[in-house]
Amino acid sequence: MIKAVVTGHSRGLGAAIAAELVARGIPVLGLARGHAEIGEGMEQAAVDFGDAAALGAWLQGHTLSSFLAGADTVLLVNNAGVVSPVGPLAEQDPVAALRAAVVNVAAPLALSAAFVQAAPQAERRIVHVSSGAGRSAYPGWSVYCATKAALDQHARAVALDGDPRVKCVSLAPGVIDTDMQAEIRATPDAKFPLKQRFVDMKEGGVLETPAACAAKLVDCLLSKRFGHEAVDDLRNSA
């Protein structure tokens, strides 16, 4: 039996991934501040990934282990993330930078450890939803680039641990038509000089839908090849 945990499941790519897993008959535990109407096969818990103390308290509970009980293979999709703050270092809100580090790095790393420990008898597969921004630096995105690069390095180090029943991949999904993309396009040019590139992709119709991306990501997550590359790009792993 396979069970899955998806963070940031209440909208965008996370919602599409949760829906895709449920459609394939895989029970899902969704973790987010908001609620999603996905239907039967979906359990949800309200978790604020920007609140480290609240997340720590939740991880000390039994929700995760109770949900994963009885599964032979368990999946974790660390999808929740934020792009803010955007802009040069001198203009960044320090509190926003702190929240981004918690949401984008501390939360997925802590949840990954809890997830692995909650299902010791199962095969455990973890996907960090990363970004090309973790592999190439962009002006105005120093926080976002740094946090996504951290996920890449985490996956590389987990692979070196050598546990054959724990596989972790930091996966860049490509450019998807989500609320985050809308936020990027609404950013002032002075804060993000490369904004026009993302505007052009939207206007050119080259953004992938969340549903299409989710189908490919779940295929990757369930494939025999999963884990062969600790840092990967969904466009290369199809």
Side-chain angles (χ1 to χ4, degrees):
M1 183 180 187
I2 303 174
K3 293 182 178 180
V5 178
V6 179
T7 72
H9 74 286
S10 61
R11 59 179 182 157
L13 180 59
I17 293 169
E20 179 69 24
L21 288 163
V22 168
R24 298 191 191 200
I26 298 173
V28 174
L29 172 62
L31 307 178
R33 287 183 297 173
H35 184 85
E37 297 298 333
I38 292 176
E40 190 175 349
M42 183 83 197
E43 296 183 27
Q44 301 181 64
V47 180
D48 182 356
F49 289 100
D51 186 336
L55 176 60
W58 186 86
L59 290 174
Q60 290 179 329
H62 301 290
T63 303
L64 197 58
S65 57
S66 295
F67 173 76
L68 297 175
D72 302 306
T73 300
V74 293
L75 317 172
L76 170 61
V77 182
N78 281 315
N79 164 75
V82 295
V83 71
S84 297
V86 177
L89 191 59
E91 299 178 14
Q92 290 175 9
D93 177 353
V95 174
L98 179 61
R99 178 175 173 80
V102 174
V103 173
N104 292 359
V105 183
L109 268 55
L111 182 56
S112 295
F115 170 81
V116 167
Q117 295 164 26
Q121 305 305 317
E123 179 183 350
R124 289 144 290 175
R125 296 186 172 198
I126 301 167
V127 168
H128 297 321
V129 177
S130 185
S131 169
R135 299 154 202 182
S136 299
Y138 296 99
W141 271 8
S142 58
V143 172
Y144 188 63
C145 290
T147 56
K148 290 303 184 181
L151 295 181
D152 289 357
Q153 198 71 340
H154 180 261
R156 291 186 180 104
V158 169
L160 294 177
D161 288 341
D163 187 338
R165 294 180 63 77
V166 176
K167 298 177 180 179
C168 182
V169 176
S170 191
L171 186 67
V175 186
I176 310 156
D177 197 3
T178 62
D179 289 347
M180 182 178 285
Q181 281 296 312
E183 180 182 348
I184 291 167
R185 294 192 300 273
T187 304
D189 293 347
K191 287 185 175 290
F192 186 46
L194 299 182
K195 183 183 80 170
Q196 190 60 42
R197 171 185 171 187
F198 292 87
V199 172
D200 291 343
M201 285 191 285
K202 173 67 172 178
E203 293 178 349
V206 299
L207 299 183
E208 189 160 42
T209 66
C213 180
K216 295 176 185 177
L217 189 147
V218 173
D219 283 344
C220 175
L221 183 55
L222 296 176
S223 74
K224 292 181 179 180
R225 179 184 178 278
F226 184 81
H228 287 191
E229 297 291 338
V231 176
D232 211 346
D233 191 302
L234 190 58
R235 292 163 291 191
N236 300 332
S237 60

